[in-house]
Structures are given as C-alpha cells and as structure tokens.
Amino acid sequence: MRAVIQRVARASVDVEGTTVGEITGPGLMVLLGVARDDGCEQVATLARKIAELRILEGERSVMEVDAPILVVSQFTLYGDTRKGRRPSWSKAAPSEQAEPLVNALVEDLRARGLHVETGVFGAMMEVSLVNSGPFTVLVEA
C-alpha cells in the first residue's frame, strides 16, 4: 500500500456535484493506493502509521489531538511512467481486491477512535484541499 499524506487545514471530496466527505483541520488528507500483492498485513501497518505519524503542529499525531482524516482511494499512485508516454497500471490491485482493503484501512482507523471521512471507491471525484505547511509525505507499507 502507498499513501500520499498531506497535513491540511480543510479537505473535501465531491462526486457528481455532491460533497461526500469533508474535514476541517488540522487533519490529514490521505490518497491511498493498493498494490496487487497487498493484504491485511499492509492494512494494519499503514493504519498504524497514519494514526501515529507525528506530522501535525507540535510534532503530534492525529491520535494525540483527535484530528480528522479524509481517505480517498487512488489507484493512480501505482502508475508506472518509466517507459513510453502512457502510464502502466499493472502494479495496481484490481477493484475487487482493492476496495475491501481500502474499507479495512478506514475501519482500522475508526476502531482507533478516529473520525474518518471517505470518497466513493471507483467514482470520478473532485478533491479539494488546503495543504497546511505545505506538508506532504509518502508512506508505504
């Protein structure tokens, strides 16, 4: 699993003109990609990292300050652009594998007592955010 994590002042995701997930910060925007070889172990590792990563102001985690998280599935994080002009998506997990793992990660975060909003898996989404810092990290599990 691969996540682009951004510290945000606010973030939202719209589908067909309707806001389906929205947070006000401080919080985290998580763009989440699932690889073909990912499973429950990667979900647990990444959920722990997201919850405990000390990147909010004062080097605190979302767990410490009860900050919200917006998780948006994004298979394009596994796009391979090393050859040619079109990305290859061969490393990205197919939908039927990826969707349950994305849901499992969200449920793991919620089980930790965190407020988690989401996009809609597989939908064309419009994501808006105000990056605070700016602060963006790539985390892999």
Side-chain angles (χ1 to χ4, degrees):
M1 292 187 112
R2 182 176 287 165
V4 173
I5 302 173
Q6 297 175 298
R7 184 173 65 192
V8 297
R10 63 184 172 277
S12 64
V13 60
D14 293 359
V15 175
E16 295 179 5
T18 301
T19 300
V20 296
E22 182 174 30
I23 63 169
T24 55
L28 298 179
M29 172 76 215
V30 177
L31 302 174
L32 179 65
V34 179
R36 288 185 174 275
D37 58 350
D38 286 339
C40 295
E41 183 178 333
Q42 286 75 26
V43 168
T45 298
L46 191 57
R48 180 184 53 76
K49 286 185 177 191
I50 292 168
E52 297 176 2
L53 199 59
R54 299 171 66 97
I55 62 172
L56 296 178
E57 191 171 327
E59 294 186 10
R60 294 179 296 167
S61 70
V62 290
M63 292 273 305
E64 291 173 293
V65 298
D66 196 28
I69 302 168
L70 176 58
V71 175
V72 175
S73 173
Q74 190 168 356
F75 79 94
T76 60
L77 292 179
Y78 279 100
D80 185 351
T81 60
R82 290 177 290 179
K83 290 174 78 176
R85 296 179 301 171
R86 289 189 186 147
S88 166
W89 312 114
S90 63
K91 292 183 181 179
S95 302
E96 56 276 0
Q97 176 191 358
E99 186 173 14
L101 294 176
V102 170
N103 292 339
L105 181 123
V106 168
E107 289 309 312
D108 188 317
L109 292 169
R110 287 179 176 156
R112 295 169 189 267
L114 295 167
H115 176 81
V116 182
E117 296 278 325
T118 66
V120 175
F121 188 91
M124 178 62 75
M125 295 177 272
E126 293 182 359
V127 179
S128 301
L129 61 98
V130 175
N131 190 315
S132 179
F135 198 107
T136 302
V137 295
L138 176 64
V139 179
E140 295 191 74

